[in-house]
Amino acid sequence: YSLSWTPDGELLAIRPRFKPGVIMELWSIPIDGRAQRKLAHEAPQLFGMRLSPDGHRIAYYVEPDTRALSVWAIHNFLPPSR
């Protein structure tokens, strides 16, 4: 697994361990018990997940079946304030 906490410690971003032939996903899990959310599209290989220092963006790279790398970023992935 690849794990990253938001700077405020309220949310965990997680990518399951790589297994050949298994589609990978990126998830956010709030520590307060709210529902987890799928953040990223499914990809055969999804790596390098990093949160920005302010915790408002997450970046990762995808290696699709074509062997060409793509870099993706998700902005404002945090859940709405309660």
Side-chain angles (χ1 to χ4, degrees):
Y1 292 92
S2 178
L3 308 169
S4 289
W5 288 98
T6 54
D8 63 6
E10 296 291 321
L11 188 73
L12 177 66
I14 184 169
R15 179 200 45 87
R17 183 186 331 237
F18 173 72
K19 293 179 185 171
V22 175
I23 299 298
M24 301 179 80
E25 299 173 336
L26 184 61
W27 290 83
S28 68
I29 303 171
I31 64 166
D32 65 5
R34 288 181 285 164
Q36 63 186 19
R37 292 182 353 183
K38 186 164 97 169
L39 297 176
H41 66 280
E42 299 172 345
Q45 296 186 44
L46 187 150
F47 299 106
M49 177 185 69
R50 296 289 184 270
L51 285 168
S52 64
D54 66 5
H56 290 274
R57 292 173 306 279
I58 189 166
Y60 58 96
Y61 65 93
V62 173
E63 185 175 347
D65 295 331
T66 61
R67 297 283 184 203
L69 290 177
S70 298
V71 176
W72 291 77
I74 302 171
H75 299 271
N76 300 320
F77 75 93
L78 299 174
S81 297
R82 290 185 276 166

